[in-house]
Amino acid sequence: MASGNARYVRYVLFAFFTVLIFYFVTNTKYEGVDISKGTFATGSNQQSHDASKDTKPSTQKALTGDAKDFPLAMTPNDAGFNDLVGLAPGPRMNATFVTLARNSDVWEIARSIRQIEDRFNRRYNYDWVFLNDNPFDDTFKKVTTSLVSGKTFYGEIPKEHWSFPEWIDQDKAKKVREDMAERKIIYGDSIPYRHMCRFESGFFFRQPLMMNYEYYWRVEPSVELYCDIHYDPFRLMAEQGKKYSFVLSLYEYPATIPTLWESTKKFMKNHPEHIAADNTMKFLSDDGGDTYNNCHFWSNFEIGSLDWLRSKQYIDYFESLDKDGGFFYERWGDAPVHSIAAGLMLNKSEIHFFNDIAYWHVPFTHCPTGEKTRLDLRCHCDPKENFDWKGYSCTSKFFEANGMSKPEGWENQKD
Ligand SMILES: Nc1nc2c(ncn2[C@@H]2O[C@H](COP(=O)(O)OP(=O)(O)O)[C@@H](O)[C@H]2O)c(=O)[nH]1
Ligand SMILES: *[C@@H]1O[C@H](CO)[C@@H](O)[C@H](O)[C@H]1NC(C)=O
Ligand SMILES: *[C@@H]1O[C@H](CO)[C@@H](O)[C@H](O)[C@H]1NC(C)=O
Ligand SMILES: [Mg+2]
């Protein structure tokens, strides 16, 4: 009997510990294997790189739920913030990535796409439009289509959008290029670079493929993304009424834009109706608009509204600049053109600084200020590289113009 009792006790203890172990195993949280719930996507990842078929998106984007059921999760305290596996639930915006590139840029753009996909788009599957002044070759189409999780589209830019307008004096333009070559101004002797700047200033947003969308995210070859993107930036733009956004800002080389501000002042005089009441002139000028301080948003990264770029106010500005000829008689960049337009014609609340999108384009880095943010977003950038608060950045000026307080820790990153 005694031995029988002891056996019972052993059985009971054994059963108790088995249940206990089972309890601990099933209640252990493994970070990184969260399976996201509530995905109702029906869209497919099928893509075609047959450009002749890809004139417009053939199916409605995968709409995975109502916005009201899936509010933007902006901080780790918000529901769903750390669900980074599987398709993101919630609505999709009418938006696309856009890249201007040559066939020879294929491996550099492949690197950029891979980063955007890993950090963001694999969960959102937004489309990607590629534009080129020459036809894209098969390798370019195959490689990029294989990397993009959304649909890919390839457009050839018409000659009128990539050539000298008839009012440009060719001799005068040539002399400028020779002179800039001698003065060693970067891209100063280049014709294609000037076509590129004029195209990005006035034409990319009205290419037939771009007419299918309301928002764009510009991506260049060889850029890096250093942090996870936990929410849909397109949705932030739409829900918060943003029209233009940036991650890096800096001073333009004055030698490339000697008369851009004169030309802009002429436009302001001719079109006072286009100037926003609550504009960001303070970012652009230190003397109330008399002179330009050369501050601009770095346009190789942009998330913006295509409808705004297609608006009468923006087109009037571009056409006024184009008539003045500075894309060829000087070397006006699309960055100061977009920035001046945004600074003067948008209200302050319509321009957004994405602190949480960490980015590099040679030679500058935007690495989010604040260690907590960097850890929450699993960033792999060196905070010392952050350009935001260094002397040649204009981001301080943007914060001051908007009365925004700088993120904690900015003082330690001044140099
Ligand atoms: N199709 C095409 N794209 C170009 C040409 N020149 C520049 N680009 C693209 O325009 C963008 C800006 O050019 P990039 O060389 O990066 O200029 P940077 O960033 O100012 O040094 C990139 O996306 C390039 O791929 C060109 O002649 N043809
Ligand atoms: C997306 O935006 C474009 C341009 O405004 C519009 O023509 C198109 O109908 C929109 N598509 C959807 C699905 O809303
Ligand atoms: C811009 O701001 C002004 C003044 O605050 C306001 O009257 C106007 O409606 C705003 N415009 C937009 C598009 O928000
Ligand atoms: Mg570039």
Side-chain angles (χ1 to χ4, degrees):
M1 215 42 201
S3 69
N5 267 343
R7 202 158 63 223
Y8 262 123
V9 171
R10 275 204 303 276
Y11 281 151
V12 167
L13 278 178
F14 180 74
F16 177 76
F17 281 111
T18 309
V19 167
L20 205 66
I21 287 164
F22 187 72
Y23 173 84
F24 277 118
V25 168
T26 55
N27 276 277
T28 301
K29 277 238 165 80
Y30 291 95
E31 271 183 54
V33 292
D34 282 3
I35 305 299
S36 80
K37 297 174 202 82
T39 297
F40 320 116
T42 52
S44 83
N45 289 350
Q46 288 299 307
Q47 309 132 4
S48 158
H49 65 272
D50 181 347
S52 64
K53 287 190 203 140
D54 288 346
T55 49
K56 63 184 175 61
S58 50
T59 51
Q60 178 75 27
K61 275 306 311 181
L63 290 178
T64 58
D66 278 344
K68 63 174 166 38
D69 299 327
F70 299 97
L72 278 177
M74 307 284 297
T75 74
N77 305 324
D78 301 331
F81 183 83
N82 276 315
D83 294 348
L84 295 185
V85 177
L87 262 196
R92 296 293 183 271
M93 300 298 105
N94 188 354
T96 185
F97 290 94
V98 60
T99 292
L100 173 70
R102 294 154 288 217
N103 286 311
S104 59
D105 292 322
V106 62
W107 301 112
E108 285 76 29
I109 194 61
R111 219 175 96 196
S112 302
I113 296 171
R114 184 72 225 188
Q115 307 228 6
I116 298 268
E117 288 290 336
D118 287 351
R119 291 298 199 167
F120 169 70
N121 202 42
R122 67 187 167 77
R123 297 186 305 117
Y124 290 87
N125 303 170
Y126 280 107
D127 294 350
W128 207 303
V129 171
F130 296 90
L131 301 171
N132 188 351
D133 56 313
N134 285 303
F136 280 113
D137 63 28
D138 272 354
T139 302
F140 190 98
K141 289 193 244 183
K142 269 191 289 192
V143 170
T144 52
T145 293
S146 78
L147 290 168
V148 174
S149 60
K151 287 184 176 9
T152 49
F153 301 93
Y154 301 86
E156 193 177 336
I157 298 162
K159 265 277 148 325
E160 319 81 90
H161 297 169
W162 197 278
S163 50
F164 293 91
E166 91 263 347
W167 58 86
I168 295 298
D169 175 341
Q170 289 292 338
D171 291 335
K172 183 173 164 187
K174 184 157 177 272
K175 288 206 183 77
V176 168
R177 292 194 301 274
E178 288 164 358
D179 172 60
M180 285 199 178
E182 250 169 60
R183 292 159 59 205
K184 303 245 184 320
I185 292 168
I186 185 168
Y187 301 118
D189 60 343
S190 171
I191 294 175
Y193 194 84
R194 286 184 169 78
H195 290 322
M196 183 275 287
C197 290
R198 178 171 176 261
F199 175 79
E200 293 286 20
S201 298
F203 301 105
F204 85 90
F205 48 83
R206 30 182 175 163
Q207 299 302 296
L209 288 172
M210 298 303 287
M211 297 305 287
N212 296 320
Y213 305 96
E214 283 169 44
Y215 293 94
Y216 71 100
W217 179 334
R218 174 168 165 184
V219 179
E220 284 204 359
S222 293
V223 302
E224 309 256 2
L225 280 193
Y226 294 115
C227 306
D228 283 338
I229 299 175
H230 290 242
Y231 63 88
D232 181 351
F234 289 127
R235 235 184 108 187
L236 180 141
M237 301 292 288
E239 290 184 1
Q240 300 188 10
K242 306 289 184 187
K243 305 273 175 64
Y244 193 80
S245 68
F246 73 101
V247 290
L248 283 159
S249 73
L250 68 159
Y251 293 94
E252 181 59 296
Y253 302 111
T256 65
I257 50 160
T259 68
L260 176 59
W261 195 250
E262 284 312 309
S263 197
T264 299
K265 286 208 279 193
K266 186 176 83 184
F267 166 78
M268 287 194 272
K269 212 162 139 213
N270 291 339
H271 290 283
E273 77 280 11
H274 288 339
I275 306 306
D278 190 22
N279 63 50
T280 324
M281 178 66 97
K282 270 196 178 152
F283 174 72
L284 303 170
S285 174
D286 302 332
D287 52 20
D290 195 25
T291 60
Y292 181 35
N293 62 19
N294 301 318
C295 278
H296 64 288
F297 308 120
W298 218 22
S299 64
N300 49 64
F301 170 100
E302 279 178 331
I303 301 175
S305 160
L306 292 164
D307 288 342
W308 172 58
L309 292 174
R310 291 188 287 246
S311 69
K312 179 161 165 44
Q313 46 176 348
Y314 185 84
I315 300 281
D316 280 349
Y317 180 53
F318 170 71
E319 285 177 353
S320 169
L321 295 183
D322 200 26
K323 280 274 154 27
D324 289 342
F327 292 107
F328 301 101
Y329 300 146
E330 296 178 1
R331 207 223 66 198
W332 294 351
D334 54 282
V337 172
H338 288 183
S339 305
I340 293 172
L344 297 180
M345 299 194 277
L346 295 178
N347 273 347
K348 286 198 184 83
S349 64
E350 296 174 308
I351 304 178
H352 185 66
F353 169 60
F354 277 108
N355 184 46
D356 42 12
I357 300 185
Y359 176 81
W360 176 83
H361 174 295
V362 64
F364 299 119
T365 301
H366 166 67
C367 185
T369 308
E371 185 179 50
K372 183 172 186 318
T373 303
R374 292 192 299 272
L375 296 175
D376 287 342
L377 306 182
R378 302 178 208 199
C379 303
H380 70 278
C381 49
D382 177 349
K384 285 203 292 293
E385 297 293 312
N386 183 30
F387 183 65
D388 297 4
W389 317 115
K390 298 195 196 300
Y392 207 62
S393 166
C394 286
T395 300
S396 274
K397 223 181 259 295
F398 180 81
F399 272 63
E400 284 148 23
N402 284 285
M404 291 157 61
S405 49
K406 293 173 196 161
E408 210 174 307
W410 74 276
E411 298 94 336
N412 308 327
Q413 295 189 339
K414 280 197 274 195
D415 275 299

